[in-house]
């Protein structure tokens, strides 16, 4: 992973060379804290050791219990699904990957109606084993399989903690089970059993994903000028301090669109605390040049745009044409056009004094994905250190979980009582 900060200098808001030099001393101290946390296997910091601590052989041993399926259905939510989705959606496979990460009944019913359940492996993921949305969806999936005459116990994998409902279920029915790593928040678990089961079932090289993560580990250093991940984390932090409170992540590869969703959870849930943080916005190049770019270039000066692209990709030649005004396209290629769109967007933002950061990976493959995921996790942790944020907690999310559980009769929670206090100002159609 390579990072170019050139278009954050003297923008609005923006940095200076002197700003980065001063910040570099703080990066060195933050790096020492991060390394100490990794070495002590502290909560949260343990995520940055996953490329070394995750055992791909344990994952392979569970996968070997299944013939190659037609599809894999992950039942999970948030970090229990997005890491796996970011990897599997970026890579091509003849095994379809689907993710039940919401409880919209229309979407759930439509997906189950289309799936070849007898040829589908169900991957249920919840660290606590008590996540309401995940368990509700799994009960629906289990019933659908039974109604289709499929023995769900022969088609189900569980990834969970040492205790909880899912662990008990796995023990009771002899289901293959994998452990969620201790000390790793879900949104940081892509390079673990949580994120690698799906790509393994699809036939992808999960060892290469982990090797990419190790590349990211090896690139960490006590200076932002020597570490691309820290350069990104430090620059985004410094720009947020100066008013860039939205980070628009814009990959120029459609295969990385789900990566932007994964990034949005990582950034929002980790850094949005104590009135601080940076709101992630998802965009896709070149599609959103024709929609969101208008706001980024000409709207309020409160944004940074993160442009992400692979430097190598497959290509398709554009056929020759004699149509007036289009002849210049003939003989070129779609990759050439996309690269031109990338360069034009980058220059357009710079010309409007909008800070933007270029992030490049070599190609969209297992190793580069592992490095990109790890790099952004390390960047997020560094940002949290610089901002003195409790990066690895999510108290606002827990509040909502308790409120929902109380409303459904799952316990007595004062958060649920607060729902009744909602103020209404209804305007109804006459």
């Amino acid at each position: 992973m390579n990072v170019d900060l050139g278009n954050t200098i003297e923008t609005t808001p923006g940095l200076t060379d002197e700003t980065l030099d001063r910040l570099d001393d703080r990066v060195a101290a933050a790096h020492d804290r991060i390394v100490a946390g990794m070495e002590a296997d502290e909560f949260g910091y343990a995520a940055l050791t996953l490329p070394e601590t995750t055992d791909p052989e344990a994952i392979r041993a569970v996968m070997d219990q299944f013939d190659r399926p037609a599809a894999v259905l992950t039942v999970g939510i948030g970090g229990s699904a997005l890491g796996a989705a970011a990897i599997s959606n970026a890579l091509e496979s003849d095994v379809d990957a689907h993710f039940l990460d919401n409880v919209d009944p229309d979407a759930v019913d439509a997906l189950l109606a289309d799936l070849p359940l007898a040829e589908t492996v169900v991957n249920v993921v919840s660290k606590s084993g008590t996540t309401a949305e995940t368990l509700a969806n799994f009960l629906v999936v289990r019933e659908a399989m039974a109604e289709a005459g499929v023995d769900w116990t022969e088609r189900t994998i569980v990834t969970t903690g040492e205790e909880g409902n899912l662990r008990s279920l796995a023990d009771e029915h002899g289901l293959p089970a994998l452990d969620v790593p201790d000390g790793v928040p879900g949104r940081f678990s892509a390079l673990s059993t949580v994120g690698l089961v799906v790509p393994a079932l699809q036939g992808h090289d999960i060892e290469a994903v982990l090797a990419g993560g190790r590349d990211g580990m090896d690139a960490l250093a006590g200076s932002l000028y020597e570490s691309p991940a820290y350069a990104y984390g430090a620059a985004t932090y410094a720009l947020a301090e100066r008013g860039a409170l939205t980070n628009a992540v814009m990959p120029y590869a459609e295969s990385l669109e789900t990566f932007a969703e994964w990034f949005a959870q990582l950034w929002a849930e980790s850094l949005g605390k104590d009135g601080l943080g940076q709101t992630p916005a998802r965009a896709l190049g070149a599609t959103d040049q024709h929609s969101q770019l208008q706001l980024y270039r000409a709207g309020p000066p409160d944004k940074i745009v993160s442009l992400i692209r692979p430097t190598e990709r497959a290509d398709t030649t554009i056929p020759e044409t004699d149509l007036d005004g289009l002849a210049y396209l003939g003989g070129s290629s779609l990759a050439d056009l996309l690269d031109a769109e990338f360069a034009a967007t980058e220059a357009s933002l710079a010309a409007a004094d909008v800070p933007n950061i270029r992030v490049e990976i070599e190609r969209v493959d297992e190793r580069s994905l592992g490095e990109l995921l790890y790099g952004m996790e390390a960047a997020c942790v560094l940002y949290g250190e610089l901002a003195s944020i409790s990066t690895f907690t999510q108290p606002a999310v827990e509040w909502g979980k308790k409120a929902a559980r109380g409303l459904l009769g799952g316990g007595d929670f004062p958060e649920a009582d607060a729902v009744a206090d909602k103020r209404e100002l209804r305007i109804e159609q006459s």
Side-chain angles (χ1 to χ4, degrees):
M1 184 177 88
N2 298 315
V3 168
D4 182 354
L5 301 182
N7 281 351
T8 66
I9 307 299
E10 306 294 349
T11 54
T12 307
L15 310 176
T16 65
D17 292 324
E18 293 74 20
T19 300
L20 291 174
D21 289 343
R22 290 195 302 271
L23 189 59
D24 201 38
D25 292 334
R26 297 181 60 194
V27 169
H31 173 65
D32 290 343
R33 172 67 186 98
I34 291 168
V35 170
M38 292 168 63
E39 291 176 346
D41 205 30
E42 291 183 38
F43 179 78
Y45 298 97
L48 296 182
T49 67
L50 284 175
E52 291 184 341
T53 59
T54 298
D55 180 7
E57 292 304 319
I59 299 172
R60 296 282 186 202
V62 169
M63 302 305 101
D64 289 345
Q65 299 181 45
F66 299 91
D67 294 331
R68 189 172 178 85
V72 54
L73 173 63
T74 295
V75 184
I77 195 167
S80 294
L82 278 172
I87 298 170
S88 66
N89 289 349
L91 304 170
E92 294 185 1
S93 173
D94 58 359
V95 178
D96 295 330
H98 303 277
F99 297 87
L100 273 185
D101 59 354
N102 206 339
V103 288
D104 182 331
D106 290 336
V108 173
D109 291 347
L111 176 58
L112 293 177
D114 288 342
L115 274 178
L117 294 174
E119 302 172 78
T120 297
V121 172
V122 177
N123 173 41
V124 190
V125 187
S126 170
K127 182 174 184 178
S128 67
T130 61
T131 308
E133 299 92 338
T134 298
L135 295 182
N137 273 337
F138 176 55
L139 293 174
V140 172
V141 170
R142 190 171 71 172
E143 182 176 74
M145 297 181 85
E147 291 177 350
V150 178
D151 185 347
W152 66 272
T153 66
E154 295 183 354
R155 310 295 306 169
T156 301
I157 300 168
V158 167
T159 306
T160 190
E162 294 180 359
E163 299 178 350
N165 294 329
L166 280 182
R167 179 62 66 177
S168 298
L169 186 75
D171 292 342
E172 178 183 353
H173 294 280
L175 305 178
L178 289 163
D179 296 331
V180 173
D182 289 333
V184 177
R187 59 190 177 277
F188 286 90
S189 64
L191 300 180
S192 76
T193 51
V194 175
L196 296 178
V197 166
V198 176
L201 281 166
Q202 290 183 296
H204 298 307
D205 186 350
I206 59 174
E207 287 84 0
V209 177
L210 292 171
R214 288 192 294 275
D215 292 341
M217 285 185 68
D218 293 342
L220 297 183
S223 170
L224 67 87
Y225 297 113
E226 298 174 8
S227 171
Y230 286 170
Y232 185 83
T236 50
Y237 158 75
L239 286 164
E241 290 289 291
R242 288 157 177 76
L245 298 179
T246 296
N247 186 347
V249 178
M250 195 171 186
Y252 274 72
E254 202 151 335
S255 57
L256 294 178
E257 189 169 12
T258 308
F259 162 81
E261 295 183 33
W262 171 86
F263 178 92
Q265 183 196 7
L266 177 76
W267 220 244
E269 198 168 14
S270 300
L271 304 176
K273 288 146 194 166
D274 303 326
L276 301 174
Q278 194 176 53
T279 301
R282 300 183 307 223
L284 179 65
T287 301
D288 287 312
Q289 291 173 212
H290 299 269
S291 57
Q292 299 178 40
L293 185 60
Q294 174 65 37
L295 173 66
Y296 301 155
R297 192 175 191 273
D302 59 356
K303 301 169 189 66
I304 176 177
V305 181
S306 299
L307 302 164
I308 303 173
R309 72 167 180 179
T311 56
E312 299 177 12
R313 67 176 88 228
D315 206 355
T316 299
T317 300
I318 301 172
E320 300 283 352
T321 179
D322 57 2
L323 293 174
D324 290 344
L326 295 180
Y328 73 97
L329 291 173
S332 185
S333 71
L334 293 182
D336 291 339
L337 179 57
L338 192 58
D339 285 343
E341 299 278 10
F342 178 96
T345 299
E346 189 177 49
S348 170
L349 291 165
D353 283 337
V354 178
N356 58 94
I357 298 177
R358 178 191 292 202
V359 178
E360 292 180 328
I361 59 174
E362 190 171 353
R363 63 183 67 85
V364 181
D365 63 7
E366 289 94 336
R367 188 158 190 152
S368 290
L369 281 170
E371 185 179 8
L372 180 63
L373 291 165
Y374 186 92
M376 287 305 174
E377 289 181 1
C380 182
V381 174
L382 178 81
Y383 186 129
E385 295 292 332
L386 295 174
S388 298
I389 288 171
S390 178
T391 309
F392 305 114
T393 60
Q394 53 281 334
V397 175
E398 299 303 324
W399 194 101
K401 287 181 179 179
K402 292 176 183 177
R405 188 169 181 179
L407 291 173
L408 291 168
D412 185 14
F413 296 98
E415 291 85 354
D417 298 335
V419 176
D421 297 332
K422 177 191 177 299
R423 177 178 173 177
E424 290 191 353
L425 179 59
R426 297 173 63 88
I427 293 86
E428 299 182 357
Q429 184 173 344
S430 58

